[in-house]
Amino acid sequence: MQFSTQPLWLVGFRPFFALACLSGLALPVLWALFFSGTLTPPPAPFSPTQWHAHEMFFGFGWAVMGGFLLTSTKNWVKIRGYHGVALILLVGAWLLERAGMWFAGALPPLVFRLSSNLFLASIVAMLLWSLIRHRQSDSFRDNYFFLIILPLFLVAKNLLLSDGHFQAGASMTMGLFRVAFLVMLERTLTQFMKNAMQATILRNALLDTGIKLLALLLVVASLLPVAVAAWIGLLLGLLLVGRFVYWKPQLALRRLDIGIMYLGYLAIVAQLLLQFIDYLVQPGWIGSVPLHVFTFGAMGLIIPAMLIRIVNGHTGRKVVFDRLDKTVLWIMIAGFVIRIVVPQIDPAGYLHWISLAAASWFVSFSILAWRYIPYLLQARVDGREH
């Protein structure tokens, strides 16, 4: 069997979810070591904080996003999807970006720009090509949101790494991930509740579209007057709360595998409300609380659950969360509390709590890597090709 025909290269989620597991266990630990002074960051034309934000969003986050979208878009537009050599080249570009970020201080500026943009530019172009070329067979009419946000990730990435626009880049990046998560949660939770609970949750076209349009507007929050962005965020948060009430949380929260998705949804709401409170009274949080509520809450809680579900389902296995899977989710919930809540109570131990939160990611994603990377390297157990 040729290398390019190995099961790992059959469909996008396989290599990129493997990379997500490995980066999810390594990147937070590296940051904790940098933050504590235990390890010296390599020389770079950007700050260690910029490195951390970039690697968590565009290293870990886009390993997940890339794997999810490469897999889902092919199903949405009913095509074979990228596989083989195309995926190998994308993985090579992702790895090149990680190396470029680490050795940035030793690279000529042009080489660094190439290494840091090649992966994202390539995968965005490939995803857009699939969605645009096959738009007539697209199952979802609102995929135009992806046509808008995917190119904007390139803008956000370069702002994030620039000298004077880090905050704008971070705000834009979080806003783009917020749109993607809201689109994904609408589609997946509707199906999960129907299949697992035989329950129908509220789907109102006007409300759903309004929510996504407000989220899209917040992508450029840094260009808006602070008060305008804050009130738009509050309105979006209130609409999300209103919809949440009709999404039958009393049923969903009975099951950890679905309930954790609802907690991630609430983390998006919490981030918006905390941002509004920050605008009103500037309470002086310990750490960047609104941002980390999103990264530890929305991303940290939803991603492991989705990874477990997708890997099992798309390798022909039953989608069942056993005790070890649930342990991973509980550890991530604990990591959220340790990183967000505890430092507000014990600010003197902030460094300790950051290290413990990073350790929670290390343990959780180590378990996921140990458990699920072998599945990603093997053929489907049900005999189907991909």
Side-chain angles (χ1 to χ4, degrees), residues 88-98 115 118-120 122:
I88 294 172
L89 293 175
L90 278 180
V91 167
W94 186 92
L95 293 171
L96 177 67
E97 182 176 288
R98 306 285 70 73
S115 70
L118 179 61
F119 164 69
L120 189 59
S122 299

Side-chain angles (χ1 to χ4, degrees), residues 336-379:
F336 172 85
V337 174
I338 291 166
R339 179 61 183 85
I340 305 301
V341 179
V342 179
Q344 313 310 315
I345 303 168
D346 177 31
Y350 186 52
L351 183 60
H352 172 71
W353 301 123
I354 283 183
S355 298
L356 200 55
S360 71
W361 278 57
F362 176 81
V363 172
S364 291
F365 280 97
S366 293
I367 295 171
L368 292 174
W370 168 74
R371 187 124 199 237
Y372 288 107
I373 288 180
Y375 291 2
L376 299 171
L377 297 172
Q378 300 165 10

Side-chain angles (χ1 to χ4, degrees), residues 42-51 100-102 104-105 112 160-163:
F46 42 79
S47 70
T49 300
Q50 286 175 291
W51 177 88
M101 289 295 297
W102 190 261
F112 170 68
L160 193 71
L161 292 176
S162 67
D163 289 333

Side-chain angles (χ1 to χ4, degrees), residues 14-306:
R14 287 176 174 263
F16 283 104
F17 281 9
L19 292 174
C21 288
L22 297 175
S23 57
L25 68 89
L27 291 173
V29 173
L30 271 176
W31 171 244
L33 293 173
F34 290 161
F35 192 79
S36 66
T38 306
L39 189 65
T40 302
F46 42 79
S47 70
T49 300
Q50 286 175 291
W51 177 88
H52 173 53
H54 180 278
E55 290 303 89
M56 291 309 298
F57 277 127
F58 291 99
F60 168 74
W62 255 94
V64 176
M65 179 90 83
F68 176 79
L69 288 178
L70 286 168
T71 304
S72 57
T73 52
K74 78 179 186 66
N75 296 330
W76 295 341
V77 300
K78 304 172 184 65
I79 59 173
R80 169 63 180 87
Y82 298 105
H83 59 285
V85 174
L87 289 184
I88 294 172
L89 293 175
L90 278 180
V91 167
W94 186 92
L95 293 171
L96 177 67
E97 182 176 288
R98 306 285 70 73
M101 289 295 297
W102 190 261
F103 296 107
L107 297 176
L110 184 60
V111 175
F112 170 68
R113 287 295 172 193
L114 177 62
S115 70
S116 66
N117 284 283
L118 179 61
F119 164 69
L120 189 59
S122 299
I123 194 169
V124 164
M126 293 164 72
L127 292 168
L128 291 177
W129 177 248
S130 293
L131 289 172
I132 294 171
R133 185 184 181 193
H134 302 283
R135 63 188 181 279
Q136 298 300 327
S137 57
D138 198 332
S139 305
F140 292 96
R141 298 177 63 182
D142 61 350
N143 272 336
Y144 61 84
F145 282 99
F146 285 109
L147 300 181
I148 297 170
I149 69 170
L150 288 175
L152 291 177
F153 272 105
L154 282 162
V155 179
K157 164 197 259 290
N158 286 281
L159 287 174
L160 193 71
L161 292 176
S162 67
D163 289 333
H165 303 287
F166 168 64
Q167 293 299 333
S171 171
M172 188 175 188
T173 302
M174 181 173 61
L176 291 166
F177 272 101
R178 184 193 292 121
V179 174
F181 271 88
L182 288 175
V183 173
M184 181 271 290
L185 285 169
E186 275 185 6
R187 298 177 185 181
T188 57
L189 290 182
T190 302
Q191 198 63 40
F192 294 167
M193 290 297 285
K194 181 179 180 181
N195 293 341
M197 302 287 188
Q198 292 74 53
T200 301
I201 62 175
L202 173 68
R203 292 299 308 276
N204 177 278
L206 184 60
L207 176 60
D208 292 347
T209 302
I211 283 172
K212 287 176 287 195
L213 287 174
L214 286 173
L216 187 62
L217 185 56
L218 284 179
V219 167
V220 293
S222 61
L223 300 179
L224 303 172
V226 175
V228 173
W231 284 99
I232 292 173
L234 177 63
L235 176 59
L236 175 57
L238 293 176
L239 288 177
L240 287 170
V241 169
R243 187 173 67 176
F244 182 83
V245 172
Y246 291 95
W247 274 16
K248 302 182 180 176
Q250 71 279 7
L251 290 178
L253 293 172
R254 295 176 185 175
R255 286 184 47 164
L256 181 62
D257 58 323
I258 297 176
I260 199 166
M261 307 285 288
Y262 276 62
L263 294 179
Y265 180 109
L266 288 178
I268 297 175
V269 175
Q271 186 276 322
L272 293 164
L273 298 182
L274 288 170
Q275 198 75 57
F276 183 75
I277 293 171
D278 211 16
Y279 159 70
L280 283 183
V281 296
Q282 297 181 336
W285 314 108
I286 305 302
S288 305
V289 170
L291 175 64
H292 284 98
V293 164
F294 183 85
T295 54
F296 270 77
M299 297 177 73
L301 299 185
I302 291 172
I303 285 171
M306 288 298 296

